[in-house]
Structure formats: structure tokens, C-alpha cells
Amino acid sequence: MDNQYMKEVQDAIVHTYNPFPVVLDHGKGAYLYDEEGNAYLDFAAGYAVCSLGYGNEEWNQALKAQIDKLCHTSNLYFHTRTKEAAQALKKLSGMDRIFFTNSGGEAVEGALKAARKYAYTKGTGRYEFIAMEESFHGRSFGAVSVTGHEAYRKPFEPLLSGVRFAKYNDLNSVKELVNEKTCAIILEPLQGEGGINLATEAFMKGIRKLCDDEGILMICDEVQCGMGRTGSMFAWQEFGVRPDILTMAKAIGNGFPVGAFAMTEKVAEFSLAPGDHGTTYGGNPLACAAVAKTAEIFEREDIPAHVRKVGAYLAEKLDELVDTYSCVVKRKGKGLMQGIEMTVPISEITGKALKKGLLVIGAGSNVLRFVPPLIITEKEVDRMITILKEILE
């Protein structure tokens, strides 16, 4: 590792992260390599971003070709990549209208604005949101306002007004908060930063019915759990309940910074109109090329089917750790978004894993998170488990 390089970087940037002591240089498949050529098996995927892994030649060539043609136009003009990217996300997400953003946080901001504009246009007088405890929706003011962790909110208060927090997977706690001012309920079908907490089918269906009965919009934030990670293109599809607004990012661009929020035709008709929302870079030709090619590969290779297969194998191996080691309390999650709750400091595990050539990250205060590239193999799961056992023993 280049200590001088790391020191110079830290002296030049705002200290909002505590990076691991490694300088990464390139990647291939599910592995990253530092400047000295040391290999690291990646079970973090850049926070669940690099869905196709590293060095996918088809994806690389698609972006290289687009760079030679056109990178930016603004949204005052159509470009040749807009249609294929938007239509691909419509098809995979099951939604009707797409708005491209630069990130997941911006997607959440757009979703909140769309919900409020819908209530305004309909003349309901509604403006409040119900969000979930332990949730995470981003770092911008609107997104952090609906994030269910006081530590993320407190330093930046006062935040967006009219936000109430219910208990995740507790439908009655949600019902108790609904009033004549509630315009939308926002939740993650599978919470990521909150500790890898999976919604129950009864909870998801209960929220959908509650929204229908009360005239409230249902927003599903699938920035982390969407695009194949749970074994379906989007997690809501496994519950059979369609949200009114859906947010996505991370895996849809395989590492290129792109996000989107999508909505039903009903919401689109009564929400955002010209002048209500915008973005300078969102949906630029390069971003759309990344989305279109990622979606094409996902469909052709049936990535969700692969996730279901390898995810089941990962779950089996993690369950064995629960049965073997007293410090591993339980396994949580689904597909290739899983975690193990532990009684030892997560930072101790991640630090030792790094030294053994494994990249893993935490979720919440006591969960070790596994969100590898979706192309991961059972052999690579075995390698990860072997390293974890060495650490735990």
C-alpha cells in the first residue's frame, strides 16, 4: 500500500469517510487489484453497485463507443440513447414513466417532489410522509429527512417538515400515523443500511391496501435492493404489489453514476410538469448507454435466475456459520443482499478480512453485509466463507 499517496489524498478531500488502507487499481470479474497486484475478492461491489462485476468487455466497449460519439446534450434535446434506456427500465421495472437522475439520493428527492405535486394537483391538501425506522434513503436534505436514523438527521435539523416514522414490518404502527395530511408512505422492500431487514409479504400488501384505501401514494426505494439483487428485477415484484413511485440507481448502471425514479401513468398525469423538476446531467448519452447495455446483459444472461441460484447457496453457507459460531447470531436478507448479525465489532471483521484479501462491509451497527457483484459464483462464495471461518476461529 502507498501510505504517502493515501496521506496526500486525505489532505486534499473532505474527511467524510474513513477508507480502508488500500489503493485499488483495476478489477476483473469479482476481484479487485491494488497497485502491487494483490487480489481482493469483492463482496461489497462498491455498495451494491457493480452488478456485472469488473472488466465486462461488452459493457466497456458500449461506453467507449458512446464517448467517441456524444457525452452530453442537456434534456432540451432527444439523443439516440434516451429511448432504449428508458424503454429498458420501463420493461424491467414494470412502471410507466422514467426520470433519469445522477444518483440514488436524487432519485429519492424526485420521488418526494412527485408525491407532493400529485397531492397539490389533486387538491387534497396532503403533504406529510410516513417513513420507516432504520431506513436509509440518501444524504440530501429531503432524502435524509425520511431516513430513519437519528444520527444521520440530527446534525442537519431542522429538516423537511411533516415526516413521521413507523416500525418496519408493523402495519399497525403505520396505520396509527396516517391522517388527512399524509401524501405518501416510503419504504425499502429490503432495508440495506438499516441492517438487511426484509419486508414481509403481509406488510407490503398491507401498505398497498392502506394506500389504496386512503388515497396515499406508495413509494418503494429500491436503490440498493433493486435490479436483480434479490432474485427478481425489482424486489417489489416478489410481493405482487406495484408501487406508485419507484426509485433505483446503483446496479442499473453497473458502476456508471446514474439513477432514476419511475412512476405509474396515474401519478405522471397529476404530478411533475415542465418546470417542476429538472437535471443538467441526468439521462445524458453516456449514462443511458450504460443503462441500456446493463439491462440488455441482465435480460440475455438472465441475471436474476443466477442470483436466485447462487443466493440460495450463499444463504446455506451463512446458515452454517450461524450454527457453528456463537458470535454469529442469525442470517438476514435475500438473494445476493444478505447479512449476518454478530456479537463482535463489525469493523474488526472487515479489517481482518481486508488483510486476507476479502472486501466486506457492515450494515447498521452489528450486521456484516454481503452484496457482491451479481455474477459471483459458488466457488467464490466458498472462498469468502473459508476466509470468514479463518477470522472467526
Side-chain angles (χ1 to χ4, degrees):
M1 71 184 69
D2 189 336
N3 291 320
Q4 182 60 30
Y5 175 87
M6 288 186 283
K7 181 181 184 304
E8 291 175 358
V9 171
Q10 291 286 58
D11 288 344
I13 62 175
V14 178
H15 187 191
T16 56
Y17 284 88
N18 292 311
F20 289 101
V22 61
V23 180
L24 298 172
D25 180 71
H26 63 281
K28 186 65 178 177
Y31 284 86
L32 287 166
Y33 298 84
D34 63 21
E35 292 182 307
E36 299 170 354
N38 298 308
Y40 300 86
L41 178 58
D42 187 11
F43 266 72
Y47 282 110
V49 169
C50 299
S51 50
L52 298 174
Y54 305 98
N56 183 292
E57 191 60 28
E58 183 181 351
W59 187 86
N60 288 353
Q61 289 302 320
L63 268 68
K64 289 175 184 177
Q66 188 59 48
I67 286 174
D68 288 337
K69 294 178 65 178
L70 188 65
C71 288
H72 179 72
T73 64
S74 90
N75 286 302
L76 290 176
Y77 315 98
F78 293 112
H79 58 74
T80 56
R81 293 294 190 179
T82 306
K83 184 179 77 169
E84 60 180 321
Q87 287 184 340
L89 287 187
K90 277 185 58 175
K91 181 180 179 183
L92 299 186
S93 70
M95 304 299 284
D96 298 321
R97 300 276 182 160
I98 306 292
F99 185 102
F100 286 106
T101 67
N102 303 293
S103 67
E106 289 174 78
V108 171
E109 292 289 333
L112 298 177
K113 285 182 69 176
R116 278 202 170 173
K117 180 62 189 300
Y118 178 86
Y120 174 84
T121 304
K122 299 283 280 187
T124 65
R126 297 175 179 269
Y127 65 91
E128 292 187 351
F129 296 95
I130 296 175
M132 301 299 142
E133 295 177 0
E134 308 304 322
S135 62
F136 181 85
H137 297 290
R139 303 286 189 166
S140 54
F141 264 83
V144 80
S145 296
V146 293
T147 289
H149 287 270
E150 186 178 4
Y152 290 131
R153 299 194 310 271
K154 193 171 181 59
F156 309 105
E157 293 174 342
L159 296 168
L160 186 69
S161 63
V163 179
R164 302 180 177 201
F165 293 95
K167 291 183 174 61
Y168 194 67
N169 278 334
D170 184 340
L171 187 59
N172 286 331
S173 79
V174 180
K175 290 179 177 179
E176 290 172 359
L177 298 181
V178 172
N179 60 36
E180 71 282 355
K181 296 178 181 179
T182 307
C183 76
I185 298 173
I186 182 170
L187 76 159
E188 303 153 274
L190 174 50
Q191 290 184 332
E193 298 296 321
I196 315 298
N197 305 310
L198 180 65
T200 64
E201 183 174 339
F203 186 64
M204 290 291 287
K205 288 185 174 179
I207 294 292
R208 178 68 274 174
K209 184 177 186 305
L210 179 62
C211 288
D212 291 339
D213 291 345
E214 299 290 337
I216 299 169
L217 298 183
M218 179 180 184
I219 305 173
C220 281
D221 180 351
E222 297 216 21
V223 167
Q224 185 168 162
C225 66
M227 198 61 176
R229 189 152 289 279
T230 63
S232 295
M233 285 298 183
F234 287 87
W236 74 263
Q237 295 163 341
E238 301 171 29
F239 298 103
V241 292
R242 186 191 192 202
D244 299 294
I245 305 175
L246 174 70
T247 66
M248 62 191 88
K250 294 186 182 290
I252 69 171
N254 185 43
F256 191 89
V258 58
F261 61 95
M263 59 186 73
T264 63
E265 195 66 46
K266 178 189 76 171
V267 175
E269 181 182 356
F270 294 99
S271 62
L272 301 178
D276 285 337
H277 197 55
T279 171
T280 297
Y281 296 108
N284 67 60
L286 199 53
C288 286
V291 170
K293 181 53 67 173
T294 301
E296 178 188 331
I297 296 172
F298 261 68
E299 281 203 288
R300 186 184 68 235
E301 304 295 330
D302 198 358
I303 296 297
H306 177 76
V307 170
R308 292 192 294 272
K309 178 176 180 292
V310 180
Y313 186 75
L314 172 62
E316 177 186 329
K317 293 300 177 181
L318 293 177
D319 284 338
E320 290 176 6
L321 296 184
V322 174
D323 293 337
T324 305
Y325 300 96
S326 60
C327 63
V328 184
V329 179
K330 65 179 178 180
R331 175 187 62 82
K332 302 195 289 183
K334 189 171 186 178
L336 290 178
M337 185 174 173
Q338 301 205 39
I340 48 175
E341 187 177 316
M342 307 189 71
T343 60
V344 296
I346 298 302
S347 60
E348 186 176 325
I349 302 296
T350 57
K352 290 182 177 180
L354 179 69
K355 293 178 180 178
K356 291 179 175 290
L358 172 65
L359 303 182
V360 285
I361 55 177
S365 61
N366 62 344
V367 174
L368 190 64
R369 174 172 23 177
F370 305 93
V371 283
L374 303 184
I375 57 156
I376 207 88
T377 65
E378 293 181 0
K379 180 179 179 181
E380 288 158 342
V381 170
D382 287 338
R383 174 62 183 152
M384 181 274 294
I385 293 293
T386 297
I387 293 173
L388 269 187
K389 286 181 175 179
E390 291 172 1
I391 295 170
L392 294 175
E393 289 175 358

